[in-house]
């Protein structure tokens, strides 16, 4: 054995394979991570298990002592509840509308910032600012300063076009919420698309110009295929976050008028803290978690494919 090792060491160009650390060494390396792992399990998995437990019971906080095991009845009630289906529809409209408008605006701004011009760094910082504002503060700012029918800036800006005294929150509640979320999430989309633009090979663009391709043809036939996966990533990650929107709904419309802007997170809030129906709200929460996991799975696949191709 020793002779073989000596022979292998003496051969030029051959290296010894790295020795695998023993079990004790591996646990010594993993040890500092265990507290963080325990905290993650404590804060995420235990609440999920408790939610699953409550979703199997009929439990209303207004009727103490009436708790009983009902199995999957809460899930059946949720799926047959017209208000839940309305919340699902509102969530789809809110998420799709916000993602669509923010990805279009984000892509346009990313193309602008990819060009060199005086003050580009200042413009980029200003465009990122909406994403740094707290969602609750942003929603309150839009409600009081922008959408107000009497002194709102939106009516003032549109007054030269004959638009006056519109109560945006009451007359166009869903559009108002989508406008606020688009303003807030456009920087997120812009940064991801900008990263894709700046990773594009300049040699390819130069070759296209040498071949006589115009600006639009170069962008549509070369840049857009390169950006496709970055845009997919932005859409999927944005969808995961926007589907959980609660702050804007609570601060601007309170889910109304009626149920016009009640999305799934606000529906669960209403069931828990206004109807005090813990069982049905827990079942709705489990359904939302499962739907979010499905979306996240697609997002992770896109990210993995993106990194494989970049590597």
């Amino acid at each position: 054995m020793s002779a073989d090792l000596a022979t292998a060491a003496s051969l030029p160009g051959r290296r010894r394979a790295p020795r695998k650390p023993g079990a004790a060494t591996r646990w010594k390396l993993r040890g500092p991570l265990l507290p963080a792992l325990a905290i993650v399990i404590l804060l995420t998995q235990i609440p999920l298990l408790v939610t699953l437990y409550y979703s199997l019971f009929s439990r209303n906080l207004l009727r103490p002592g009436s708790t009983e095991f009902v199995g999957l009845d809460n899930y059946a009630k949720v799926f047959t509840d017209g208000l839940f289906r309305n919340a699902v529809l509102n969530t789809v409209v809110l998420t799709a509308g916000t993602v669509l408008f923010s990805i279009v605006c984000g892509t346009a701004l990313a193309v602008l910032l990819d060009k060199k011009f005086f003050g580009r760094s200042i413009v980029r910082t200003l465009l990122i600012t909406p994403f740094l504002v707290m969602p609750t503060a942003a929603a309150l700012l839009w409600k009081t300063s922008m959408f107000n029918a009497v002194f709102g800036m939106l009516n003032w800006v549109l007054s030269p076009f004959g638009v006056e005294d519109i109560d945006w929150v009451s007359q166009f509640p869903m559009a108002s919420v989508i406008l606020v979320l688009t303003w807030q999430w456009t920087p997120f989309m812009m940064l991801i698309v900008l990263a894709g633009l700046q990773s594009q090979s300049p040699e390819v663009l130069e070759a296209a110009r040498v071949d006589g391709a115009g600006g639009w043809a170069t962008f549509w036939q070369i840049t857009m295929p390169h950006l496709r996966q970055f845009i997919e990533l932005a859409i999927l990650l944005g969808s995961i976050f926007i589907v959980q929107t609660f702050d804007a709904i609570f601060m601007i419309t309170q889910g109304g008028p009626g149920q016009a802007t009640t999305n799934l997170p606000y529906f669960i809030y209403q069931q828990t803290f206004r109807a005090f129906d813990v069982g049905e709200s827990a079942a709705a929460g489990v359904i939302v978690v499962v739907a979010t996991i499905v979306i996240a799975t697609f997002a992770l696949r896109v990210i993995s494919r993106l990194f494989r191709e970049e590597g």
Side-chain angles (χ1 to χ4, degrees):
M1 182 66 181
S2 58
D4 294 340
L5 292 176
T7 303
S10 63
L11 292 176
R14 297 188 61 179
R15 296 180 180 177
R16 292 181 179 178
R19 296 177 58 187
K20 292 183 178 179
T25 305
R26 289 199 299 269
W27 279 109
K28 188 177 179 180
L29 295 174
R30 294 169 182 165
L33 300 176
L34 292 180
L37 178 63
I39 292 175
V40 169
I41 294 175
L42 184 67
L43 296 181
T44 61
Q45 303 308 307
I46 293 180
L48 177 60
L49 293 176
V50 172
T51 304
L52 280 170
Y53 171 80
Y54 278 126
S55 70
L56 302 177
F57 287 84
S58 174
R59 179 182 173 86
N60 192 305
L61 298 181
L62 296 177
R63 297 191 297 270
S66 62
T67 303
E68 61 176 335
F69 180 78
V70 294
L72 299 178
D73 285 355
N74 284 329
Y75 293 92
K77 286 182 181 177
V78 168
F79 281 117
T80 57
D81 189 348
L83 296 179
F84 177 78
R85 292 197 296 272
N86 175 72
V88 171
L89 179 61
N90 286 340
T91 303
V92 171
V93 172
L94 180 67
T95 304
T98 302
V99 169
L100 177 63
F101 288 120
S102 59
I103 194 65
V104 171
C105 295
T107 302
L109 293 174
V111 172
L112 173 67
L113 291 178
D114 193 44
K115 308 295 182 185
K116 292 183 179 178
F117 57 89
F118 178 74
R120 184 176 67 168
S121 59
I122 297 175
V123 173
R124 181 170 51 200
T125 303
L126 292 176
L127 290 176
I128 295 173
T129 302
F131 193 61
L132 305 179
V133 179
M134 291 180 62
T136 304
L140 191 60
L141 175 69
W142 274 85
K143 181 181 180 180
T144 56
S145 301
M146 303 295 289
F147 291 142
N148 190 282
V150 179
F151 51 81
M153 291 186 64
L154 198 56
N155 282 339
W156 177 73
V157 170
L158 297 176
S159 59
F161 304 98
V163 178
E164 293 181 351
D165 300 335
I166 293 181
D167 190 349
W168 295 92
V169 175
S170 299
Q171 298 181 27
F172 307 100
M174 182 61 78
S176 300
V177 176
I178 289 176
L179 178 60
V180 174
L181 294 178
T182 300
W183 172 81
Q184 188 177 4
W185 283 94
T186 293
F188 175 81
M189 307 294 185
M190 180 191 72
L191 289 176
I192 294 180
V193 176
L194 183 61
L197 284 171
Q198 294 183 346
S199 68
Q200 195 173 17
S201 172
E203 288 80 9
V204 175
L205 298 178
E206 182 63 24
R209 278 192 289 268
V210 170
D211 290 340
W216 173 251
T218 302
F219 177 77
W220 187 252
Q221 297 181 10
I222 296 177
T223 302
M224 279 305 289
H226 173 75
L227 291 179
R228 182 179 60 84
Q229 291 188 338
F230 290 91
I231 293 176
E232 288 179 0
L233 175 64
I235 290 174
L236 290 169
L237 289 180
S239 300
I240 291 173
F241 289 110
I242 294 170
V243 80
Q244 305 172 31
T245 298
F246 178 82
D247 316 71
I249 300 292
F250 183 83
M251 296 303 298
I252 296 176
T253 64
Q254 292 275 317
Q259 298 288 322
T261 55
T262 299
N263 63 347
L264 285 172
Y266 197 78
F267 172 81
I268 295 172
Y269 164 78
Q270 286 181 319
Q271 291 298 112
T272 307
F273 296 103
R274 293 187 179 178
F276 298 101
D277 191 341
V278 176
E280 188 172 339
S281 60
V286 172
I287 293 171
V288 173
V289 168
V290 172
T292 306
I293 289 175
V294 171
I295 297 175
T297 302
F298 283 106
L300 291 175
R301 288 184 178 179
V302 170
I303 293 172
S304 300
R305 189 174 58 183
L306 180 64
F307 284 149
R308 280 200 303 271
E309 294 192 0
E310 288 295 317

